[in-house]
Amino acid sequence: SRRTHDEEFMTYKFSVIVLLWILLISPQLAACGEPPYPILDSKFPAAEAKLGWIDNERVIFQGYEPEKFGTKSPKDGHIYDITGLFIWDTATNAVSKHASMEGLTTLCVHAGEVTFAREGMLVAGKLGEERQTPFPKKHWFNPNSCRYYTERPYWSEGGRKGRGIPLLEQHGYVDFGEQTMDPGRSRPLVLYPPGSKDGITLPIRSDQAEVPPVYIAFEDAYLLRARQFTSDAVPAWLLKPDGVVTSVFEPRGEAWERMGWGHYFLTKKGLLITGGRGDYAKVGTMGGYLFSEGKPVRVVPGLLRNVAVSPDGCKVAFVHVMHSQAGADSFRALQAGKPGTRTLKMIDLCKGE
């Protein structure tokens, strides 16, 4: 009938419009599958907590021993949750326990040295050579170098109009100015190398940049990103210790920039951005995207948490599940003494395409 023909035509037209919208908003879906970058699965249950690369092969992370998770401690009867710090050797895909731990710890890794707190002690140093000292009650922490100090540097003290944010000790600090959303009260960021009184004025203003700057080992520079008030993509810059600033990413009004973005990570192959949108039990467009040739290409589907890039910029480690339903199922598997699917994984961006 005429009505049936019209309904079929409208259904076809709607389907074409939906397909074109998907290809426009999600250009990576037009590539017919994910790029062939190898992804390695440790098959070991990892906590959604900070992790780090000891070198270009080994990752230290917080995880669970399935047979111990949910059991009672013989000491005081509390229920075990996170049970330790573990080392994953990605060259052999072997996981070994480094230290027993109960609950989250303040893990930090820099230049092959690890720092974490355990039972009132501060543990720091190269693996196997860590020193233990009482954790200071009053302390100041540099998140780039992972060092603790008992006194704050003068430029970080409260009451100053500026916000002194540390770089590595040999690079000094950046004054981010007064925290304000009023463009009229913003001013340029100023880099102060060690011993410098005048500083180097940077081409980024205090109402633009988010803190803290993140050290990128293979560039010997710092990744800065703009403050993000929505889930749209925002600019990112690279700051060299001599004050040179270059653009890493600048939005151009493309449709994909509104897909819903979270965290930025710099790799040797370009900027890796996590985000996208999905449902509780559907991946949708969620994943890790490599920004290449002016557009994002999804290299890992699903939810990536606690992402860390190797010192050489090639490998990316992350805690992974496909979606929230898979995360809940994985937790129930742990309760049943099984590893589950929320595991530590790694993608090598210097292999494959």
Side-chain angles (χ1 to χ4, degrees), residues 176-251:
F176 274 72
E178 184 179 359
Q179 188 169 15
T180 176
M181 294 178 63
D182 180 4
R185 297 174 60 187
S186 70
R187 60 179 175 79
L189 307 188
V190 181
L191 167 65
Y192 288 90
S196 170
K197 293 183 179 180
D198 298 328
I200 302 169
T201 301
L202 305 179
I204 305 172
R205 300 190 67 82
S206 57
D207 64 332
Q208 291 179 297
E210 189 61 84
V211 296
V214 178
Y215 182 66
I216 310 297
F218 71 92
E219 288 280 6
D220 190 29
Y222 298 84
L223 182 65
L224 280 167
R225 57 174 288 175
R227 298 174 73 179
Q228 189 174 21
F229 300 103
T230 69
S231 60
D232 292 354
V234 295
W237 308 274
L238 198 64
L239 167 65
K240 289 284 189 179
D242 61 2
V244 174
V245 175
T246 56
S247 175
V248 175
F249 171 71
E250 185 67 36

Side-chain angles (χ1 to χ4, degrees), residues 107-185:
L107 177 66
C108 191
V109 185
H110 173 68
E113 296 195 359
V114 298
T115 304
F116 60 92
R118 182 177 64 178
E119 298 179 354
M121 302 295 288
L122 180 63
V123 184
K126 293 188 179 296
L127 288 185
E129 302 175 11
E130 297 101 326
R131 304 170 301 280
Q132 296 193 43
T133 56
F135 197 92
K137 293 182 179 179
K138 184 180 179 182
H139 63 270
W140 179 82
F141 178 65
N142 183 335
N144 277 307
S145 66
C146 301
R147 293 183 181 176
Y148 284 83
Y149 296 88
T150 55
E151 295 184 2
R152 300 173 66 95
Y154 73 91
W155 43 261
S156 72
E157 293 174 357
R160 300 179 73 248
K161 287 187 177 181
R163 286 179 297 154
I165 306 298
L167 306 178
L168 293 179
E169 282 75 3
Q170 63 266 33
H171 296 156
Y173 71 97
V174 174
D175 187 343
F176 274 72
E178 184 179 359
Q179 188 169 15
T180 176
M181 294 178 63
D182 180 4
R185 297 174 60 187

